[in-house]
Amino acid sequence: MNLKNKIKSYFYTIEIKNSRDQLQEDFGVHPPAPLLKSENNIQFELIKYQGLIGRSIIFIKDFKSEINKSRIELNEQPNLNVNQRIHNFFTFTQKSSQNNPLKMVLSFLGLLVALPLVIILAPLIIMYVVFILLRLYLKVIRSDSQTGGYFDASSKNCNRIFINAKKKKTAADLHVHISHEHIHLLQFKSQNYNEPGLNRALFLPPEYRNDQRFLYLMDRREIEARLHESVLSYFKYAKELPTTTVGFIELLIGDEKFGEKIYLIAREIGIEIDINKLIHYQTRGSQSTSTEIALLIYVMHRNNVEFAQQFLLEVLPVMYENLLSYYGDQETSKAFQSEILRPNAYDIYFGKA
């Protein structure tokens, strides 16, 4: 590897992966028992970058790539050299003048008027273009430098996951974030990614309904991605995923970060749980994503006990059903769905318009 490539690999790396391999890394095996199929096998780019410099290099690389694509699309004769293009231009102009001399004279006069204007305005045009590009660059870089990574859901590059490796404290943190963004990729490929939830704010107390942090956490996509971390952590202890709603609630109760709150809500509803048979587990990473789900449930329960109960019995099970679908076993997902009465609170607060 030459010096240039070594420098590049320090600031960013690009790895081609597929969803089966990523889920294999998540669960340790794939498909996780009792799932029998793995239909999803989406190829994607995993791009790890080192902070501001790494993201800037990727931005410039992407920008150059888009320029080259545009140049090819706009160029009607990409294989001709400059002399051939000039010759073709004057040949075309000569033929046009023979057919319509007046048109040739008017075109020439128009060129004489436009050329000085172009020369005068050229610096202003260049400054404007530079200003627009600088604003775009700052918008992308600032937003990226403040996050640990993201899934690129743009129309042209919807198979790319960006991870800011500089933001990750441990290897576990890095793997958590890759798993999280990979779920967003599977969501995007499986259903309406752009629908975060129609009335999700109603689950929150009035004083939190305009709080951007809580609205972000109440996004359906974010809850599912956080729930995935609890599911795979449970599987590593239990070696099997639950296939009933009661089994799923037991999975939630087993989480050492927020299980106690779920247990209390389950008792309020009247669900019988044998605590001696529970499988307890810890989620990985220095900042457990399950803690954020616990925070949401705590806020809901404090505001409206009924909302918290609906969230446990009607919303989270549907999101787990969605996860089973993302894992690639549609039959198991549908079988689990048959245990859930629909329409329910999920459809009211998180369903499609």
Side-chain angles (χ1 to χ4, degrees):
M1 183 183 293
N2 58 38
L3 181 61
K4 182 180 178 182
N5 288 334
K6 283 184 178 179
I7 294 173
K8 279 186 177 180
S9 64
Y10 174 79
F11 287 110
Y12 77 94
T13 59
I14 300 177
E15 180 183 356
I16 305 299
K17 301 190 72 174
N18 62 62
S19 290
R20 287 182 187 173
D21 290 343
Q22 183 57 51
L23 291 170
Q24 169 89 27
E25 291 178 24
D26 286 352
F27 289 101
V29 296
H30 191 68
L35 276 59
L36 301 175
K37 297 181 180 180
S38 179
E39 297 174 0
N40 289 341
N41 192 28
I42 302 164
Q43 191 174 79
F44 63 94
E45 290 183 357
L46 174 61
I47 304 172
K48 301 175 189 175
Y49 62 93
Q50 292 287 341
L52 182 63
I53 296 176
R55 189 62 188 94
S56 298
I57 294 172
I58 295 169
F59 178 88
I60 294 169
K61 184 173 177 288
D62 286 348
F63 181 72
K64 287 172 65 177
S65 176
E66 290 301 318
I67 291 295
N68 290 334
K69 287 179 184 177
S70 299
R71 188 180 297 165
I72 292 172
E73 290 172 359
L74 292 174
N75 193 346
E76 295 179 353
Q77 299 171 318
N79 297 320
L80 298 181
N81 60 36
V82 176
N83 291 332
Q84 288 174 316
R85 291 175 192 170
I86 293 174
H87 177 266
N88 288 352
F89 171 75
F90 281 109
T91 301
F92 173 78
T93 305
Q94 186 178 14
K95 289 180 180 179
S96 298
S97 63
Q98 290 172 353
N99 295 332
N100 193 340
L102 179 60
K103 185 177 180 181
M104 178 62 183
V105 173
L106 292 174
S107 299
F108 180 73
L109 291 175
L111 180 63
L112 290 178
V113 174
L115 190 59
L117 287 174
V118 171
I119 294 172
I120 294 170
L121 295 176
L124 295 176
I125 295 172
I126 293 172
M127 289 175 62
Y128 177 74
V129 171
V130 169
F131 173 73
I132 294 297
L133 290 176
L134 185 60
R135 281 188 62 186
L136 176 62
Y137 168 79
L138 291 175
K139 182 179 179 180
V140 171
I141 297 303
R142 281 177 180 173
S143 62
D144 289 1
S145 63
Q146 295 171 359
T147 183
Y150 60 95
F151 159 62
D152 181 2
S154 64
S155 58
K156 292 185 179 180
N157 296 308
C158 59
N159 281 35
R160 298 201 301 178
I161 291 174
F162 289 85
I163 300 295
N164 187 351
K166 199 170 184 178
K167 287 276 186 180
K168 302 298 124 194
K169 295 179 181 179
T170 65
D173 290 335
L174 183 66
H175 291 306
V176 167
H177 215 107
I178 294 171
S179 299
H180 183 100
E181 300 305 329
H182 177 243
I183 290 297
H184 288 329
L185 169 64
L186 295 178
Q187 289 168 332
F188 182 82
K189 297 295 184 179
S190 300
Q191 56 183 302
N192 188 0
Y193 178 81
N194 293 319
E195 184 52 76
L198 295 174
N199 306 299
R200 67 192 192 279
L202 296 181
F203 273 105
L204 300 171
E207 64 268 26
Y208 290 113
R209 288 177 185 173
N210 292 318
D211 188 311
Q212 292 305 310
R213 180 195 176 194
F214 279 95
L215 288 176
Y216 169 75
L217 291 177
M218 282 297 297
D219 187 311
R220 172 187 60 81
R221 301 162 296 195
E222 294 303 323
I223 297 173
E224 287 180 355
R226 283 159 173 76
L227 184 59
H228 168 66
E229 194 64 32
S230 293
V231 170
L232 67 89
S233 298
Y234 170 86
F235 178 81
K236 288 182 179 180
Y237 288 81
K239 305 303 180 185
E240 190 172 36
L241 296 180
T243 55
T244 65
T245 52
V246 173
F248 170 66
I249 292 172
E250 289 176 344
L251 177 155
L252 296 175
I253 294 175
D255 190 312
E256 293 188 356
K257 293 289 177 65
F258 74 85
E260 184 179 357
K261 175 58 71 175
I262 298 294
Y263 177 68
L264 293 175
I265 296 174
R267 285 185 59 186
E268 290 173 353
I269 301 171
I271 299 176
E272 295 295 331
I273 301 293
D274 187 349
I275 58 174
N276 295 317
K277 293 183 180 180
L278 290 176
I279 296 175
H280 297 279
Y281 59 91
Q282 289 183 334
T283 51
R284 58 188 173 170
S286 58
Q287 292 182 330
S288 173
T289 55
S290 65
T291 304
E292 294 172 324
I293 297 180
L295 177 62
L296 285 175
I297 294 172
Y298 172 78
V299 169
M300 288 178 206
H301 195 265
R302 183 171 59 83
N303 174 57
N304 189 316
V305 174
E306 184 182 355
F307 274 1
Q309 293 173 349
Q310 285 181 327
F311 192 73
L312 173 61
L313 276 182
E314 302 180 27
V315 173
L316 288 178
V318 177
M319 292 183 176
Y320 176 65
E321 171 205 323
N322 292 340
L323 286 177
L324 293 176
S325 175
Y326 305 152
Y327 300 156
D329 192 334
Q330 306 300 327
E331 292 180 10
T332 302
S333 175
K334 289 178 181 177
F336 185 84
Q337 180 184 15
S338 65
E339 287 205 359
I340 306 170
L341 295 176
R342 304 282 293 275
N344 61 11
Y346 177 90
D347 302 289
I348 296 171
Y349 300 107
F350 291 89
K352 298 178 182 179

